[in-house]
Amino acid sequence: MYSRVAISMALLFASSCAPQLSPAAQTIRVADQQMVKDCTLLSDVQGTSSGGFRTPSGKMESSKIKALNKAAELGATHVLWDTVAGGNYSASAHGMAYACR
């Protein structure tokens, strides 16, 4: 019984720590070079994730969410990913934020 409670608490804690996309970030489109050729470059954006109980792919997703939230704060409409990489212990996402009409 104790182990079920401990596992449940760990899962609850892990899920509550995961970043969430802001409403503005939910509208950002992931772009390729062609899509942003006539857009305004705003800035580079990055996010990192480490530790916790998330899988490597979960850490990469968390990193992308953090970067997309930063892009949304800049008013971006598109993000062109440069690097998304991770492993068992940490992950990072780097991209360029653009404003397109």
Side-chain angles (χ1 to χ4, degrees):
M1 180 72 159
Y2 174 75
S3 62
R4 283 190 209 171
V5 171
I7 292 171
S8 296
M9 293 300 289
L11 290 173
L12 179 64
F13 178 74
S15 66
S16 66
C17 295
Q20 300 294 315
L21 275 175
S22 69
Q26 292 177 21
T27 64
I28 294 176
R29 295 183 60 190
V30 175
D32 60 30
Q33 197 69 33
Q34 182 66 25
M35 292 172 69
V36 296
K37 68 180 176 111
D38 296 322
C39 302
T40 302
L41 174 63
L42 299 175
S43 179
D44 66 319
V45 291
Q46 63 183 12
T48 60
S49 180
S50 62
F53 297 101
R54 290 185 300 270
T55 62
S57 63
K59 287 180 180 75
M60 285 189 283
E61 189 62 28
S62 292
S63 298
K64 288 168 58 177
I65 289 170
K66 289 177 182 180
L68 286 169
N69 284 339
K70 290 177 184 176
E73 291 173 7
L74 297 170
T77 58
H78 293 70
V79 167
L80 174 62
W81 293 121
D82 178 43
T83 306
V84 179
N88 289 329
Y89 302 106
S90 66
S92 63
H94 180 267
M96 304 305 287
Y98 290 86
C100 304
R101 293 185 183 184

